[in-house]
Amino acid sequence: MQAAPVRPVSATAIPSVTDALRAMESLLLGSGQRTARRNAWTAVLEDRRRAKDRVEAQHVLEAVAERTSQAT
């Protein structure tokens, strides 16, 4: 079995875009505003998940209705 190659760790790692945005956020917003923004984003993601679930449920109901109408 062969070991996975090891990547060298740079002493001066370049921060990712996400890290840079979070650093800017911490400089510009107070902790309360930061928490409110994150809570709002979490709510948006949850709304999107519920909307996706509704669409899937609608497709299932339409498929069942179609089978029922064909059976009669």
Side-chain angles (χ1 to χ4, degrees):
M1 188 163 102
Q2 198 172 13
V6 177
R7 296 171 126 186
V9 178
S10 169
T12 56
I14 299 172
S16 69
V17 173
T18 302
D19 293 337
L21 289 173
R22 285 198 176 140
M24 290 296 294
E25 176 189 58
S26 67
L27 290 172
L28 297 174
L29 300 177
S31 64
Q33 289 174 321
R34 197 166 44 244
T35 300
R37 187 194 60 77
R38 288 188 181 148
N39 287 345
W41 182 245
T42 300
V44 166
L45 295 177
E46 184 63 20
D47 287 346
R48 288 178 181 175
R49 186 195 62 76
R50 281 195 299 266
K52 181 182 172 189
D53 290 347
R54 280 193 302 273
V55 168
E56 290 174 0
Q58 182 66 31
H59 290 158
V60 168
L61 290 173
E62 288 171 355
V64 169
E66 186 176 318
R67 285 187 196 156
T68 304
S69 67
Q70 289 175 353
T72 56

